[in-house]
Amino acid sequence: MIQTVAFIGLGAMGYRMASHLPKHFEHVWVWNRNFDKAKQHAEAYGTQAVELAQAVQADVVFSCLPTSQDIEDLLAQVELKAGSIWVDCTSGVPSSAKKVAEQLKQHGVDFLDAPVSGQTIGADNATLTVMIGGDKAAFERALPVIQAFGKLIKHVGESGAGFAVKAVNNMLLAVNLCAVAEGFTTLKAHGVNLNEALDCINASSGKSGVTETVLPQRILNRSFPLTFALPLLAKDTGIAVDLVREAKLSAPVIGLAQSLIQTASDLSEADSDFSSAVKLYESWSKITLE
Ligand code: NDP
């Protein structure tokens, strides 16, 4: 019986995801490192801002922090409640999920790696895709709570499988972003109108999420709104490269995209949106994608 639900980490994603929980559950506890954000959330959505020690005593505890290391550091500080489920929505590292799931099992707690996709707009509209690794029975118990912010919610395998799917998804985003930057820079160098070209490509076989949303809504209009930070995409591509390496495979496109995104991130101003990775190509070619 799930009576209390908690959300830890009220960042760009967590703040919005947690906002849907009070529509379905009476007792929703929130905690954030900068505690003012938790208080603001409580005022805005009727959640309850609580200390970390209390938040981890909920029946279902969600977390959404930047990295798996942040999760491991946080877990090292707290006492967990036996019988609870920890649902980690961080885009994390598969090997960390396996290790943490094993550790938490010793305390009678199930750990699910449950990263999300759909960006802040998906979190606002409760239409996120959630890819989940871990114990199937724990997944089934947590499912009604995850449905508060998820639309497509899938159990994809054992611990770490959710993080692996997310890393590969974001690697595909990175590869597309690089390829689109290269292709559209080339078109502009040949004097082609980029908006007309985009209409054609979005009705053709080369279309992707990047051409359908990122290019028109973030790049060509030069808005680059910060909703998903470029260093977080670089982190995800690094996780994908490690997965390739662990499997002893050769994946040259993935390796190249990772170094391009990492370089773009290293050269970018702090607080750059992931879409601003194309500025790396713009600085090389002296061609602006607008
Ligand atoms: P943000 O940077 O907006 O938020 C990070 C949150 O984590 C903040 O609440 C921050 O607290 C907290 N935090 C950071 N470090 C620590 C720490 N060491 N201990 C405790 N709390 C900490 O990130 P996002 O919400 O954008 O991303 C969160 C996760 O979701 C990442 O793994 C990201 O890759 C993934 N993701 C992001 C998407 C997006 O569109 N933004 C889409 C899908 C997945 P404080 O407020 O105190 O700084």
Side-chain angles (χ1 to χ4, degrees), residues 201-272:
I201 286 171
N202 278 338
S204 301
S205 52
K207 71 179 171 187
S208 66
V210 174
T211 61
E212 288 182 323
T213 62
V214 181
L215 188 56
Q217 294 168 14
R218 292 170 187 257
I219 299 171
L220 293 179
N221 64 11
R222 311 307 290 169
S223 63
F224 303 102
L226 174 60
T227 65
F228 176 41
L230 181 52
L232 291 177
L233 179 60
K235 174 248 321 175
D236 295 336
T237 59
I239 296 170
V241 163
D242 286 344
L243 282 174
V244 171
R245 198 175 296 134
E246 285 161 23
K248 299 190 170 47
L249 296 172
S250 162
V253 174
I254 287 182
L256 191 53
Q258 197 276 327
S259 47
L260 287 163
I261 294 295
Q262 188 62 57
T263 304
S265 174
D266 293 345
L267 297 177
S268 287
E269 288 165 18
D271 293 339
S272 291

Side-chain angles (χ1 to χ4, degrees), residues 85 110 112 130-144 146 153-156:
I85 309 174
D110 283 301
L112 298 173
V130 194
M131 42 216 104
I132 303 182
D135 182 75
K136 188 82 192 278
F139 163 78
E140 273 155 15
R141 276 195 295 140
L143 185 59
I146 299 169
I153 304 166
K154 270 204 175 269
H155 183 257
V156 292

Side-chain angles (χ1 to χ4, degrees), residues 10-13 32-34 37 65-66 70 91 116 227-228 235:
L10 304 171
M13 292 302 283
N32 193 66
R33 183 177 60 177
N34 166 358
K37 263 200 225 170
L65 303 186
D70 296 321
S91 298
V116 298
T227 65
F228 176 41
K235 174 248 321 175

Side-chain angles (χ1 to χ4, degrees), residues 3-168:
Q3 291 188 322
T4 47
V5 178
F7 207 108
I8 291 172
L10 304 171
M13 292 302 283
Y15 195 88
R16 293 167 163 91
M17 289 156 75
S19 74
H20 301 291
L21 295 170
K23 299 172 199 160
H24 308 274
F25 298 92
E26 201 182 330
H27 302 289
V28 179
W29 298 335
V30 290
W31 180 83
N32 193 66
R33 183 177 60 177
N34 166 358
F35 200 63
D36 284 346
K37 263 200 225 170
K39 289 189 199 153
Q40 192 188 328
H41 197 275
E43 254 178 51
Y45 300 110
T47 51
Q48 200 185 333
V50 300
E51 291 304 320
L52 180 60
Q54 182 179 337
V56 300
Q57 294 302 309
D59 298 316
V60 175
V61 180
F62 288 99
S63 51
C64 190
L65 303 186
T67 68
S68 282
Q69 190 57 56
D70 296 321
I71 295 293
E72 290 189 29
D73 293 348
L74 187 118
L75 280 167
Q77 301 167 37
V78 294
E79 293 274 337
L80 301 174
K81 174 171 130 170
S84 64
I85 309 174
W86 190 293
V87 183
D88 183 22
C89 299
T90 304
S91 298
V93 177
S95 58
S96 171
K98 286 182 196 139
K99 182 176 79 179
V100 169
E102 212 38 60
Q103 284 168 353
L104 266 53
K105 211 168 160 186
Q106 316 293 318
H107 299 274
V109 175
D110 283 301
F111 179 88
L112 298 173
D113 46 300
V116 298
S117 185
Q119 304 197 350
T120 49
I121 187 164
D124 276 332
N125 297 333
T127 53
L128 292 172
T129 298
V130 194
M131 42 216 104
I132 303 182
D135 182 75
K136 188 82 192 278
F139 163 78
E140 273 155 15
R141 276 195 295 140
L143 185 59
V145 198
I146 299 169
Q147 278 166 339
F149 55 75
K151 190 174 172 198
L152 179 81
I153 304 166
K154 270 204 175 269
H155 183 257
V156 292
E158 295 182 352
S159 284
F163 285 165
V165 175
K166 175 68 186 175
V168 169

